[in-house]
Amino acid sequence: MAKVTIPIGPQHPALKEPASFNITLDGEKIVHMTLKLGYNHRGIEKAAESRTYIQNIYLLERVCGICSHSHSSCYVQCVEDIAALEVPKRALYIRSLVGELERLHSHLLWLGVAGHEVGFDTLLMYTWRDREIVMDLLSMLTGNRVNYGINTIGGVRRDITKDQIKDILVAVDKLEEETKYYAQVATQEVTLAKRLSRVGKLSHEDAVKLGAVGPTARASNVDRDIRRDDPYAAYGEISFKVITDNHNDVYGRTLVRIGELLESYNMIRQIVKNIPDGPITVKAPRRIPVGEAVSRCEAPRGEDMHYIKSNGSDKPERVKVRAPTLANVQAVAKMLENGYLADVPIVIAAIDPCFSCTDRTTIAVKDGKKTRGLIEWKDLRKYSIEWYKKNEGIDLSKIKLQNEK
Amino acid sequence: MSKEQDIQKQFMNKFDFLEGKFKIVKNKRIFLDVPIDKFWKVMGYAVKIDQFPLLCTITGLDQGDTIGLVYHLAANDGMMLNIETSIPKNNPVIRTITDIYPSATLYERELEDLLGVKVEGLPAGRRYPLPDDWPIGDHPLLKDWKPKN
């Protein structure tokens, strides 16, 4: 039978974000895959060079909408290293608390997406319902559901109260009960377990060779976690297990994430129990001395890395970001090898990809003034009509949309 | 002796030209500055001692007359060895490390697109991260690059 190449993406119903996979098939079997990324690239690293260190916290937090706290933590840790700032312990505990809450909402989100990708939308409804509890906690603690804005150079911007701690403990108990149920569902619900097993195989050797990180690597028995190996924030003072699994497939990745959820509940309890009193920030200089620093954080999707070089001014010389998806996406081709076309959505979803992170997007917000980079819906439509006319010879200009009549 | 100093000693015993090139900035953070003509010897040794299985990423820097490259290697115990080198900006050529770290492919494509580095021996593939119709010779992370509109 002749081999067929199918393009999936950059826009495709099975993908939630733009990426392009060219998949060569022999029948239903995948023989080869090539990847094209970069559809979300808007130049955050370049933009960071023309903003001050303080402005950059908020820019880099927006690298990702899910692991925003990991990015801002990674960034401020670099700056604090160069400026030799001693961050108060209470601030470090708050950073870890928000970091673990972020892991909860991210892993619950993933569990729902995994359910959706294999046609088990009830799981999506359940986990996303529970995820709202975490979003409410984050909103209570930081004022925001998504980009928390809690980190600043030298500490955190908001303190935590005794009442908030009570609310957190009640919520965590409820979430733990629900997660134990999901652990049962994943292991005992035969249809789900069978659908995820032996799909997207990644051997231990390949995971190491291809530089996989986070739950993707840990499900191939790579015992690596930055929280334990290179402790930051308050992780050096919290006891926890690093969850690994040796199934080497999507089922293993599911078990690792559920295990990490259960571990996070215990970590949150320890954090709020042991949080020391004291200030939440130290004064940071506006100008950062000449130097360079590397920082790594264990984001929900895996290891996030930032490198900063400073030149003595109030703006960085260079900011480099390596988000976990860029490290994991290279393993996807290996996972799909000898797999089946029908498994493509769940295998891609199983690394918990975040292409905005990978490509580092920035989004312009309309503020009343003309903002470069902001494009109105009708202008976007006009642009696409012209593009198709010029490049594909298709004239769509006669078709009017309802709101344009 | 700390683990960082131990690694430093291991390298110094092998290469005496690395005298004064080590910076242990903090716990688990080593920076090592290597001249480009000795880069492969040192990189080869870092791989041979088998302590750094993970390549975190490669950072490219516009340093005026030169392009700086930082190879961020990591050990399983969290130790990071950052090997720095620089190549002339008017002829920015470096050999690929994909034969040692297959995960370097996308990081090296990033160097090519954003800083105009020519990576010799990099397997053929689609560019990353700029779009296919991005002008040739236009590398946005160079300091003198400004947005056109």
Side-chain angles (χ1 to χ4, degrees):
Chain A
M1 193 173 172
K3 291 191 176 65
V4 182
T5 300
I6 298 184
I8 298 184
Q11 306 296 335
H12 191 275
L15 299 171
K16 304 289 173 281
E17 282 188 279
S20 160
F21 301 87
N22 269 342
I23 295 179
T24 306
L25 295 170
D26 185 0
E28 280 284 305
K29 210 164 194 180
I30 299 165
V31 286
H32 185 65
M33 187 201 88
T34 58
L35 178 69
K36 166 76 182 157
L37 296 167
Y39 299 96
N40 281 342
H41 186 80
R42 303 260 190 98
I44 278 206
E45 290 176 10
K46 182 75 177 178
E49 291 173 9
S50 57
R51 282 163 174 79
T52 66
Y53 285 98
I54 292 288
Q55 289 172 325
N56 274 328
I57 303 171
Y58 306 99
L59 174 68
L60 288 159
E61 187 157 40
R62 281 152 180 80
V63 166
C64 180
I66 305 289
C67 16
S68 60
H69 183 70
S70 305
H71 281 286
S72 71
S73 298
C74 227
Y75 166 77
V76 294
Q77 282 170 192
C78 278
V79 183
E80 287 158 0
D81 267 4
I82 301 174
L85 294 176
E86 183 95 22
V87 182
K89 270 216 163 150
R90 191 173 175 83
L92 295 178
Y93 270 75
I94 295 173
R95 275 186 195 167
S96 279
L97 174 64
V98 176
E100 287 316 298
L101 287 171
E102 181 173 81
R103 191 175 323 279
L104 296 186
H105 94 71
S106 179
H107 280 6
L108 286 168
L109 175 135
W110 180 84
L111 202 52
V113 171
H116 168 75
E117 296 291 5
V118 298
F120 186 12
D121 279 298
T122 314
L123 187 63
L124 168 78
M125 300 297 171
Y126 274 42
T127 55
W128 282 41
R129 176 200 64 193
D130 295 340
R131 179 174 175 263
E132 279 306 300
I133 301 174
V134 191
M135 302 311 276
D136 285 347
L137 288 181
L138 283 163
S139 160
M140 170 186 82
L141 288 172
T142 68
N144 292 317
R145 279 167 60 92
V146 182
N147 295 308
Y148 319 113
I150 187 93
N151 279 323
T152 190
I153 297 163
V156 291
R157 293 173 62 226
R158 279 189 188 214
D159 206 350
I160 170 173
T161 66
K162 289 209 165 66
D163 287 342
Q164 287 174 336
I165 289 177
K166 271 187 211 148
D167 290 346
I168 291 169
L169 288 171
V170 172
V172 162
D173 285 347
K174 177 71 187 153
L175 287 165
E176 187 174 38
E177 185 192 319
E178 297 289 328
T179 308
K180 281 182 177 159
Y181 172 65
Y182 302 137
Q184 272 183 355
V185 171
T187 49
Q188 292 170 22
E189 165 57 47
V190 181
T191 324
L192 183 65
K194 283 203 161 177
R195 180 67 187 90
L196 302 179
S197 294
R198 290 186 287 281
V199 169
K201 280 285 210 187
L202 181 71
S203 69
H204 176 79
E205 292 70 30
D206 285 334
V208 173
K209 199 171 86 184
L210 296 169
V213 294
T216 306
R218 288 194 283 275
S220 293
N221 217 0
V222 179
D223 187 13
R224 216 187 267 150
D225 190 317
I226 305 300
R227 292 175 295 172
R228 179 198 62 198
D229 304 335
D230 187 6
Y232 56 97
Y235 290 111
E237 297 173 15
I238 304 167
S239 71
F240 61 97
K241 283 202 304 267
V242 172
I243 311 289
T244 54
D245 189 273
N246 52 15
H247 279 90
N248 304 348
D249 55 11
V250 179
Y251 181 63
R253 280 158 226 152
T254 311
L255 297 186
V256 165
R257 289 193 179 95
I258 292 175
E260 288 187 1
L261 281 171
L262 294 169
E263 207 54 39
S264 281
Y265 301 133
N266 283 330
M267 292 165 83
I268 289 170
R269 289 194 189 102
Q270 286 180 54
I271 293 168
V272 295
K273 188 173 160 229
N274 300 330
I275 186 166
D277 289 328
I280 55 164
T281 180
V282 286
K283 197 166 165 45
R286 255 168 47 85
R287 292 174 184 278
I288 302 298
V290 178
E292 57 186 339
V294 185
S295 170
R296 293 193 288 167
C297 282
E298 191 66 35
R301 290 162 171 72
E303 172 200 313
D304 182 21
M305 197 210 94
H306 285 217
Y307 165 88
I308 294 181
K309 196 178 177 82
S310 56
N311 52 16
S313 76
D314 61 348
K315 298 186 181 87
E317 174 75 13
R318 174 84 166 93
V319 177
K320 167 79 187 168
V321 179
R322 204 296 317 275
T325 297
L326 193 61
N328 279 333
V329 80
Q330 312 194 46
V332 170
K334 194 81 210 166
M335 292 176 192
L336 288 174
E337 232 170 61
N338 296 320
Y340 292 94
L341 182 63
D343 297 336
V344 170
I346 183 64
V347 171
I348 295 171
I351 68 157
D352 201 1
C354 183
F355 295 113
S356 284
C357 268
T358 292
D359 301 337
R360 297 178 290 283
T361 321
T362 179
I363 296 160
V365 179
K366 195 175 182 185
D367 59 358
K369 287 174 255 166
K370 192 174 184 302
T371 311
R372 189 165 54 79
L374 184 79
I375 186 159
E376 293 278 354
W377 169 247
K378 68 173 191 310
D379 296 332
L380 181 66
R381 186 161 185 274
K382 203 169 128 202
Y383 172 80
S384 71
I385 287 169
E386 277 163 15
W387 192 92
Y388 271 99
K389 206 167 163 180
K390 194 174 130 208
N391 292 293
E392 305 282 328
I394 303 168
D395 188 4
L396 300 161
S397 58
K398 299 245 160 22
I399 304 164
K400 290 274 179 265
L401 290 186
Q402 208 166 21
N403 58 4
E404 285 181 331
K405 278 175 190 165
Chain B
M1 190 186 282
S2 71
K3 213 164 175 201
E4 292 80 7
Q5 286 167 327
D6 202 40
I7 291 171
Q8 176 172 357
K9 202 171 151 225
Q10 247 179 304
F11 275 85
M12 295 292 291
N13 286 345
K14 183 90 180 154
F15 308 109
D16 50 8
F17 56 85
L18 291 176
E19 182 75 50
K21 301 285 188 189
F22 269 93
K23 267 192 297 175
I24 299 173
V25 290
K26 64 178 248 188
N27 188 23
K28 302 197 176 189
R29 292 286 184 285
I30 308 172
F31 283 85
L32 172 57
D33 191 10
V34 184
I36 183 67
D37 55 329
K38 305 279 197 313
F39 175 75
W40 279 101
K41 276 189 178 166
V42 177
M43 193 69 177
Y45 183 65
V47 174
K48 211 174 117 196
I49 57 174
D50 210 19
Q51 285 175 12
F52 300 98
L54 184 66
L55 172 75
C56 293
T57 191
I58 308 168
T59 301
L61 301 146
D62 182 356
Q63 299 171 325
D65 293 338
T66 56
I67 299 282
L69 301 167
V70 192
Y71 292 76
H72 306 277
L73 311 183
N76 281 338
D77 63 358
M79 182 73 67
M80 280 194 83
L81 175 65
N82 305 281
I83 302 181
E84 301 180 305
T85 191
S86 49
I87 49 177
K89 203 174 178 179
N90 54 18
N91 185 26
V93 182
I94 186 100
R95 214 184 84 192
T96 179
I97 61 161
T98 45
D99 45 344
I100 311 170
Y101 292 104
S103 59
T105 318
L106 285 172
Y107 309 142
E108 290 185 342
R109 289 203 205 291
E110 239 183 310
L111 288 178
E112 289 197 324
D113 258 17
L114 299 179
L115 284 147
V117 173
K118 172 90 190 76
V119 182
E120 276 179 348
L122 182 59
R126 307 274 300 266
R127 70 186 299 173
Y128 176 75
L130 297 174
D132 288 338
D133 58 353
W134 189 266
I136 295 163
D138 214 21
H139 305 293
L141 269 187
L142 294 174
K143 288 284 177 189
D144 54 9
W145 187 91
K146 296 275 179 294
K148 300 280 181 300
N149 49 27

